[in-house]
Amino acid sequence: MPLLSLTPSLRSLATALVRALVPGLCLSLLLCLGLLGTTGMADDRTPASLENGRFVVGPDYGVASELTDLGNPKGRQFEFAMPLSESKLFDGRDSTLNPRKQVRKERKIVVYVPAAYQDGTAAPFLVMHDGPNRLNLVCNALDNMTRSPDPERRLPAFVAIAVQNGGDDSKGSQRGLEYDTMSDRLARFIQLEVLPAVENHPEILAAYPNFKLTDDPWGRGVMGCSSGGAAALTMGWFRPEWFRRLITYSGTFVDQQDDDAPEEADFPLGAWEYHSSMKLIENTPKKPLRIFTHVAENDNRANDPESTYHNWVMANERTADALEAKGYDYRYVFSKATRHCDRKVFESTLADTLAWMWDGYEADQDSGSSTPD
């Protein structure tokens, strides 16, 4: 019987038994042997509805019409820079940084306020890591889906806040420090430095004199890809009182945390600890989070054995297993014939992802609060 035909609980048990009996047997070999089916750990159905669960997309891809310019009224875009030297949390001078890896002197912040936003209301918002990457798709989604006649496709008028990383990549980099560290530091940076800068920006206030962002954690989303995806989960994990709607594409739930980071004492394998070793997700009381995860069939180091702690496909499948076992509101998408942070996956799925992510959000226009579904 193919593993995909089993119920989720039996599928997880079967996978665990296979991995226990044959430690180190990599995902690709399991696929070749037919032990996991041909689509990883997802169910062979497309994410067209608002259901939780596991889905497969591809190998054919197109651009969702809602992510294109359909001629609807457009919002206002604002851009400014935040010098790293003025930050109290990420000033670019950490001792763990590799001097050969470049640190930006300032980070770009791009804010998109949709046409549907009404000045004076407490706006829900989506923080986007590695901004302004993919911002054009989110802007088109806002232009189109805030006006959708279909309630299952209608988005709230959330503000998109694209935040540029601090520079370079991987261990020893400013970006790696920000995104791969297992702590609430990035969440505090966004909460205490970026959001106040957005709310008090002169150009935004000139256009919207009563502009404000919601304090309701259910109206606050975070989105990222790769290490930015791991950062989205980490922000919600360590600070669910601030951020609860999380989107991760090709999430770097692997051991990318700097070896010299003090957080190594508590999380020696970095984001790998979410799903393996200490199994943070399974062994921690359930948090109030709504979580989207994705991995590509040919994602980074998909053939690596478990001992490397760097197989992105294995890491994301195990993360989905843990979220399902713990009873989270989650959605996991496996994309066939694609690679790490593949743009065509975003173009095909992001409208569905945003509709699912914001399902159940209804803001109280007086207080800015809402109740999850």
Side-chain angles (χ1 to χ4, degrees), residues 6-38:
L6 301 176
T7 64
S9 58
L10 289 177
R11 181 176 61 234
S12 297
L13 177 60
T15 304
L17 287 173
V18 169
R19 286 170 173 153
L21 291 171
V22 196
L25 192 61
C26 70
L27 174 72
S28 296
L29 181 55
L30 290 171
L31 293 174
C32 291
L33 294 174
L35 294 176
L36 295 186
T38 59

Side-chain angles (χ1 to χ4, degrees), residues 55 117 132 139 143 167 201 215 223 239 245 253 259 278 307 356 358 373:
F55 302 87
Y117 171 70
C139 292
D143 296 342
H201 193 267
D215 291 327
M223 170 179 162
R239 287 291 188 163
R245 298 182 186 268
F253 305 127
D259 299 330
M278 65 176 57
S307 58
W356 179 84
W358 288 100
D373 54 344

Side-chain angles (χ1 to χ4, degrees), residues 246-311:
L246 314 175
I247 298 174
T248 80
Y249 279 87
S250 290
T252 300
F253 305 127
V254 303
D255 184 15
Q256 286 285 93
Q257 183 171 259
D258 194 280
D259 299 330
D260 297 324
E263 290 80 6
E264 285 280 290
D266 294 324
F267 308 102
L269 296 180
W272 190 266
E273 305 288 17
Y274 279 123
H275 55 84
S276 193
S277 185
M278 65 176 57
K279 298 186 177 181
L280 276 179
I281 293 173
E282 294 182 56
N283 294 329
T284 303
K286 184 181 172 184
K287 297 173 183 283
L289 300 172
R290 187 169 176 85
I291 304 170
F292 169 90
T293 62
H294 153 269
V295 78
E297 183 176 16
N298 303 308
D299 220 306
N300 286 348
R301 299 175 65 167
N303 296 321
D304 269 24
E306 180 179 1
S307 58
T308 66
Y309 311 124
H310 269 85
N311 184 319

Side-chain angles (χ1 to χ4, degrees), residues 3-244:
L3 187 56
L4 290 176
S5 65
L6 301 176
T7 64
S9 58
L10 289 177
R11 181 176 61 234
S12 297
L13 177 60
T15 304
L17 287 173
V18 169
R19 286 170 173 153
L21 291 171
V22 196
L25 192 61
C26 70
L27 174 72
S28 296
L29 181 55
L30 290 171
L31 293 174
C32 291
L33 294 174
L35 294 176
L36 295 186
T38 59
T39 55
M41 291 298 297
D43 294 330
D44 198 6
R45 54 197 179 114
T46 56
S49 69
L50 297 177
E51 296 177 7
N52 289 351
R54 300 159 181 263
F55 302 87
V56 170
V57 296
D60 299 319
Y61 297 89
V63 182
S65 62
E66 294 154 312
L67 302 180
T68 64
D69 185 352
L70 298 179
N72 287 317
K74 301 186 184 307
R76 298 280 301 274
Q77 185 164 302
F78 305 88
E79 182 177 318
F80 61 96
M82 297 182 66
L84 269 69
S85 62
E86 297 179 6
S87 172
K88 295 181 180 180
L89 288 160
F90 290 117
D91 62 7
R93 294 192 289 267
D94 276 67
S95 61
T96 59
L97 296 176
N98 184 336
R100 292 175 293 180
K101 294 196 172 187
Q102 185 176 4
V103 177
R104 289 192 171 97
K105 293 184 177 181
E106 59 182 27
R107 71 176 78 239
K108 182 188 301 182
I109 310 293
V110 184
V111 179
Y112 187 76
V113 182
Y117 171 70
Q118 296 181 5
D119 188 30
T121 61
F125 60 86
L126 177 68
V127 174
M128 301 177 63
H129 294 317
D130 290 318
N133 199 22
R134 314 300 189 222
L135 179 60
N136 65 317
L137 298 178
V138 173
C139 292
N140 284 336
L142 284 166
D143 296 342
N144 299 325
M145 297 176 72
T146 53
R147 303 166 55 88
S148 175
D150 182 353
E152 291 196 351
R153 306 297 291 176
R154 191 178 305 132
L155 294 178
F158 67 82
V159 173
I161 304 172
V163 181
Q164 192 175 42
N165 65 67
D168 217 299
D169 191 24
S170 194
K171 294 182 179 182
S173 72
Q174 181 66 35
R175 180 179 183 268
L177 172 68
E178 295 168 5
Y179 291 173
D180 294 313
T181 302
M182 293 288 285
S183 77
D184 71 346
R185 188 175 175 183
L186 180 62
R188 288 186 290 119
F189 170 68
I190 297 296
Q191 174 71 14
L192 302 177
E193 297 190 12
V194 174
L195 299 184
V198 171
E199 286 191 309
N200 295 297
H201 193 267
E203 292 184 13
I204 296 177
L205 290 176
Y208 306 96
N210 300 301
F211 179 80
K212 59 181 177 179
L213 300 170
T214 185
D215 291 327
D216 173 21
W218 285 110
R220 294 160 151 241
V222 189
M223 170 179 162
C225 194
S226 191
S227 289
L233 178 58
T234 295
M235 283 177 61
W237 186 262
F238 286 96
R239 287 291 188 163
E241 73 272 28
W242 287 342
F243 308 100
R244 293 187 179 176

